[in-house]
Amino acid sequence: MYVTAASTAEDVVETGPSKRSIVRQRTVTIKPGKHLFLEGDPADYIYQVASGVLRLTRIMEDGRRQVIAFGYPGDTVGFPSDGLYHTDCDALVPSTLVVHRRAHLESAKGDPVLHQRLLLAALREISGMQDHFMMLGRKSSIEKLASFLMVLTARVGEPLGEFEQVTLPMTRADIADFLGLTTETVSRTFTQLRKSQIIAIDHVNTVIILKPIALRCIAEGDDN
Amino acid sequence: MYVTAASTAEDVVETGPSKRSIVRQRTVTIKPGKHLFLEGDPADYIYQVASGVLRLTRIMEDGRRQVIAFGYPGDTVGFPSDGLYHTDCDALVPSTLVVHRRAHLESAKGDPVLHQRLLLAALREISGMQDHFMMLGRKSSIEKLASFLMVLTARVGEPLGEFEQVTLPMTRADIADFLGLTTETVSRTFTQLRKSQIIAIDHVNTVIILKPIALRCIAEGDDN
DNA sequence: CGACGCGTTGATATGGCTCAAGAGTGGTGG
DNA sequence: CCACCACTCTTGAGCCATATCAACGCGTCG
């Protein structure tokens, strides 16, 4: 068993080296609600999301929570600092992850191509986090939610007739904690976008983008 | 001339390879108010702050501004993504910087020790930004300011008798844009901390920490 | 069938914003 | 050296966006 979080290690399933390529890739699967790692765990592994969605969170002693990021396929999670993880990480839906040893990031001794990829992922991470700062610090609730939907649609949107549709695997509370709002405000803001005919909502967790241009305008704060 | 921002290149002074060590280090100096680089500039160089203080900002079309970070000695700025800078960077006080080619970060071909240092700086950056998320998203104004003063004091505080003192090279507006507040709220919050005898303020930009424990409690949200 | 978790909506409260005025503070030129 | 100006900081009054508190509907699961 190679996974770090002792309390949850039994829930993470080693699926062994892939047989499909010459380079052996170790992967794990993780079920919803189970933790991949916790803040403070020694960070011996870095994970690349192959399928599913992860949730990276930080929690204050009094229970206030900040969702740092959602990890979608292609994303890399678990960048260490001082050899420790600095967030909790769990799965929103069943997920599969490619596992890399931390050593592969921190020295180029191993596979230089892999090293390079992990490094670029870290730099992309920094850039993405800078966007998020602007969102948390300076945007209104509707701008925040519009930005969130724009990013998610660009990333994992699917065409649906003439529109685009995006499935939200996270709860309203997750979105709230990601955007620095409350669940009530997120819910009201969804309603507001729905009543403006900018989005439609199907079964609570499926959003159809009816007016992508209007949504982008709101996200970027054009006029009000 | 090796600096990226065309419009400001003439203000950045090449001070040549250091003569003090066998490893030649190129350094530049930059004066207050002058830009080291702007968002969107091609990012050919990464800078390590040797002295002074830098300010990294992002600006929305309508003028809303977010200060992403302040760059103190030891910090590294200018991590590229897609080969471009994603923030503006200027100096708050006269600063000197050690210049590294981006290639030294993105391949290990050059100096592996340097490469390793830059990589660790990037990972530390990610960790620090995660702290900042919690601050922006979930903390009250007084918690934000207390956290800010704690971090700054730990980083660049100087003993003053039995207390610690920290000099703020940035304006109230900079602090506000860093914390996601307005200058008025920052000012009022300083006053509140001063009236509680937790800090004292000397000449506007010098803060003396009278009760570090009380300040830490506020920063971490103990009780109210 | 009941209980629970999640989402929505309403009513009210409030923290921080906006607008406005004044008080430092530092720089410049006469 | 002083007067002036520009800029930053502080403080006050009122307002508004979002939080809080509360009720209820709906779907899921035991």
Side-chain angles (χ1 to χ4, degrees):
Chain A
M1 182 50 61
Y2 299 90
V3 172
T4 56
S7 65
T8 56
E10 69 274 14
D11 301 313
V12 179
V13 179
E14 172 73 38
T15 55
S18 163
K19 298 294 189 292
R20 290 170 321 206
S21 77
I22 295 166
V23 177
R24 293 154 65 99
Q25 289 202 320
R26 181 182 301 134
T27 64
V28 297
T29 68
I30 176 170
K31 286 183 236 162
K34 299 301 179 182
H35 285 276
L36 184 61
F37 52 77
L38 296 172
E39 181 176 356
D41 284 346
D44 296 326
Y45 299 92
I46 291 162
Y47 302 91
Q48 248 179 315
V49 182
S51 71
V53 187
L54 302 182
R55 174 176 62 184
L56 289 136
T57 52
R58 256 183 150 181
I59 299 188
M60 286 172 65
E61 289 133 10
D62 62 5
R64 276 179 285 180
R65 191 179 72 141
Q66 177 70 41
V67 172
I68 304 293
F70 297 106
Y72 273 89
D75 289 337
T76 301
V77 306
F79 292 114
S81 181
D82 307 320
L84 304 177
Y85 295 121
H86 285 246
T87 64
D88 298 341
C89 177
D90 62 357
L92 293 173
V93 299
S95 305
T96 63
L97 313 168
V98 180
V99 184
H100 304 292
R101 296 189 160 277
R102 183 181 77 191
H104 287 169
L105 174 59
E106 295 194 350
S107 87
K109 300 261 164 55
D111 178 354
V113 174
L114 172 59
H115 175 85
Q116 175 72 0
R117 259 196 303 157
L118 288 174
L119 176 56
L120 289 180
L123 293 174
R124 225 178 307 117
E125 181 79 2
I126 289 173
S127 173
M129 289 174 97
Q130 288 171 352
D131 292 337
H132 199 181
F133 279 143
M134 180 64 83
M135 185 138 96
L136 283 172
R138 286 289 174 233
K139 288 191 178 177
S140 68
S141 58
I142 196 166
E143 288 169 350
K144 286 176 176 179
L145 189 60
S147 304
F148 177 68
L149 292 174
M150 288 299 297
V151 170
L152 222 52
T153 304
R155 190 76 193 280
V156 293
E158 300 161 10
L160 175 80
E162 56 174 322
F163 302 120
E164 278 223 89
Q165 170 181 291
V166 61
T167 301
L168 306 175
M170 67 292 285
T171 66
R172 298 291 189 260
D174 289 329
I175 298 172
D177 287 341
F178 183 66
L179 300 177
L181 299 169
T182 60
T183 68
E184 293 95 330
T185 299
V186 169
S187 184
R188 275 186 249 272
T189 307
F190 266 118
T191 301
Q192 190 182 340
L193 287 173
R194 187 167 45 73
K195 288 193 173 158
S196 317
Q197 312 276 342
I198 291 170
I199 64 171
I201 296 180
D202 190 20
H203 292 96
V204 188
N205 60 355
T206 304
V207 175
I208 300 156
I209 312 297
L210 301 177
K211 296 180 186 161
I213 294 162
L215 195 64
R216 140 162 279 138
C217 285
I218 291 172
E220 296 179 355
D222 289 10
D223 63 71
N224 84 71
Chain B
M1 181 53 58
Y2 298 90
V3 173
T4 54
S7 64
T8 55
E10 68 274 13
D11 302 313
V12 179
V13 179
E14 173 73 37
T15 54
S18 164
K19 297 294 190 291
R20 290 170 321 204
S21 77
I22 296 166
V23 176
R24 294 153 65 100
Q25 288 202 318
R26 182 182 299 133
T27 64
V28 295
T29 69
I30 177 170
K31 286 184 234 161
K34 300 301 179 183
H35 284 277
L36 184 61
F37 53 77
L38 296 173
E39 181 176 355
D41 284 346
D44 295 326
Y45 299 92
I46 292 161
Y47 302 91
Q48 247 180 314
V49 182
S51 71
V53 187
L54 302 182
R55 176 176 60 187
L56 288 135
T57 53
R58 255 183 153 183
I59 299 188
M60 287 173 64
E61 289 133 8
D62 62 6
R64 276 179 285 179
R65 190 178 72 141
Q66 177 71 40
V67 171
I68 304 292
F70 297 107
Y72 274 90
D75 288 339
T76 301
V77 306
F79 291 114
S81 181
D82 308 319
L84 303 177
Y85 294 121
H86 285 246
T87 65
D88 298 341
C89 177
D90 63 356
L92 293 173
V93 297
S95 304
T96 64
L97 312 168
V98 180
V99 185
H100 303 292
R101 296 188 161 279
R102 184 181 75 189
H104 287 168
L105 173 59
E106 295 195 350
S107 89
K109 299 261 165 53
D111 177 353
V113 174
L114 172 59
H115 175 85
Q116 176 72 0
R117 258 195 303 157
L118 288 174
L119 175 56
L120 289 180
L123 294 175
R124 224 177 310 115
E125 181 79 1
I126 289 173
S127 172
M129 289 173 97
Q130 288 172 351
D131 292 337
H132 199 180
F133 280 144
M134 180 64 82
M135 184 137 96
L136 282 172
R138 287 288 173 231
K139 287 190 178 179
S140 69
S141 57
I142 195 165
E143 289 169 350
K144 286 176 177 179
L145 189 59
S147 304
F148 178 67
L149 291 175
M150 288 298 296
V151 170
L152 223 52
T153 304
R155 191 76 195 277
V156 293
E158 301 162 9
L160 177 79
E162 57 173 320
F163 302 120
E164 278 222 89
Q165 168 181 291
V166 62
T167 302
L168 306 176
M170 69 290 285
T171 66
R172 299 292 189 259
D174 289 328
I175 298 172
D177 287 343
F178 183 66
L179 299 177
L181 299 169
T182 59
T183 68
E184 294 94 329
T185 297
V186 170
S187 186
R188 276 186 249 272
T189 307
F190 266 119
T191 302
Q192 191 182 340
L193 288 172
R194 187 165 44 72
K195 287 191 175 160
S196 318
Q197 312 278 342
I198 291 170
I199 64 171
I201 296 179
D202 190 21
H203 291 98
V204 188
N205 60 357
T206 304
V207 175
I208 300 157
I209 312 298
L210 301 176
K211 297 182 186 160
I213 294 162
L215 195 64
R216 141 162 279 136
C217 286
I218 292 172
E220 295 180 357
D222 289 10
D223 64 67
N224 84 74

